Amino acid sequence: TNIQKQESIPWRAPSASIFTIVGSISTSYSSPEVAYSKALMFYDHNIPIGATVRLQVISSPIPSPVILYTQTKTVTRKSKAFWLIIPEDIKIIYYRITITMPSPQILQIYRMLFGSTWIPNYNYSNSHSLSYQVSTLASQKLRNGGTRVLPATPFKAISLKFDNLSSPTIGYFQDIVHKYSKHTDMGLILCDEDTAYANTVNFVGRLTKWSEPALSLKGYNLSFDFEEV
């Protein structure tokens, strides 16, 4: 991602059967602090059906490190989002991702996300509110009295409401909002099925608004607004 413009720039690799990505994770708040990642997500990629993605947590980025954890998943459907859920007790500093293709081809990935996850015990309340919006761009008055408006790309916007959340969950969300707010991309997965609907509601966005936690008889109620990036 282009950090300055916050634009998604694809990462491409030449045609091959096996691709390897090696990297490390740390937080931006304190260099020695270790980020506890609980999910890996590829978004807007061309990894084909039948390919396998293997994530290894390694001791160091040397050629032959100690392997601390391994998880492998096969791509079984055509989807813009591919993800792995990592156990909470796995601490990641260095990682190695190996993507094995069914046949040689060019690999392209627009976004790769590592981050904490939240899987609710209960689904969101009622139905979500999903819409497509277009940002209003500066218009230009023409000499003949008309108006010229530059074309804009519609983006998804969604509102979600959750009920009966525990106090620790509210504290977790408050920490996320404090640290990341509108400055960090988040993967939103609402449908884990092989349908066109999944590609509509699963996307990468940013948290634009969240309500103040409202205490009810069984816990807290909270709503979120996300916008696609």
Side-chain angles (χ1 to χ4, degrees):
T1 299
N2 184 317
I3 301 299
Q4 293 180 341
K5 295 183 179 180
Q6 290 296 308
E7 294 176 350
S8 180
I9 299 175
W11 175 79
R12 293 186 179 93
S15 180
S17 297
I18 299 177
F19 301 89
T20 302
I21 303 170
V22 179
S24 62
I25 300 175
S26 63
T27 68
S28 59
Y29 296 93
S30 176
S31 298
E33 184 181 356
V34 176
Y36 289 82
S37 294
K38 301 174 184 176
L40 163 69
M41 181 178 182
F42 293 133
Y43 186 73
D44 203 359
H45 60 85
N46 70 336
I47 304 175
I49 295 175
T52 58
V53 179
R54 182 179 65 187
L55 168 67
Q56 293 178 315
V57 179
I58 56 180
S59 59
S60 64
I62 61 177
S64 300
V66 176
I67 299 174
L68 307 175
Y69 172 80
T70 299
Q71 182 179 162
T72 303
K73 183 176 180 181
T74 300
V75 178
T76 59
R77 62 183 183 229
K78 185 67 175 178
S79 174
K80 293 185 70 174
F82 174 88
W83 64 93
L84 294 172
I85 302 299
I86 303 164
E88 294 185 8
D89 60 336
I90 301 300
K91 182 172 64 176
I92 298 178
I93 301 179
Y94 300 102
Y95 63 86
R96 179 170 60 197
I97 300 168
T98 304
I99 303 173
T100 304
M101 301 291 200
S103 59
Q105 73 169 62
I106 294 174
L107 176 64
Q108 177 171 293
I109 300 173
Y110 271 84
R111 292 181 184 272
M112 186 182 82
L113 305 180
F114 258 122
S116 299
T117 61
W118 177 60
I119 303 175
N121 294 324
Y122 303 99
N123 207 349
Y124 47 82
S125 304
N126 300 319
S127 60
H128 59 266
S129 174
L130 176 66
S131 62
Y132 286 86
Q133 300 183 12
V134 178
S135 297
T136 302
L137 301 178
S139 59
Q140 178 183 3
K141 287 292 185 181
L142 303 179
R143 298 182 66 180
N144 62 3
T147 302
R148 177 176 179 267
V149 180
L150 297 177
T153 302
F155 59 89
K156 299 172 188 175
I158 193 168
S159 297
L160 297 171
K161 181 176 180 293
F162 292 91
D163 296 330
N164 306 325
L165 300 178
S166 65
S167 180
T169 300
I170 293 297
Y172 174 76
F173 277 122
Q174 287 176 327
D175 183 63
I176 288 178
V177 172
H178 172 70
K179 286 184 177 179
Y180 307 115
S181 187
K182 299 181 180 180
H183 307 294
T184 301
D185 297 346
M186 300 181 182
L188 188 66
I189 303 296
L190 298 183
C191 181
D192 186 15
E193 298 177 359
D194 187 10
T195 62
Y197 175 74
N199 278 333
T200 300
V201 297
N202 298 341
F203 62 92
V204 171
R206 295 195 182 111
L207 181 65
T208 58
K209 180 181 178 182
W210 81 314
S211 66
E212 289 296 325
L215 182 61
S216 63
L217 293 177
K218 296 183 179 181
Y220 291 89
N221 303 330
L222 198 60
S223 61
F224 305 89
D225 289 354
F226 288 91
E227 288 184 358
E228 184 181 23
V229 296

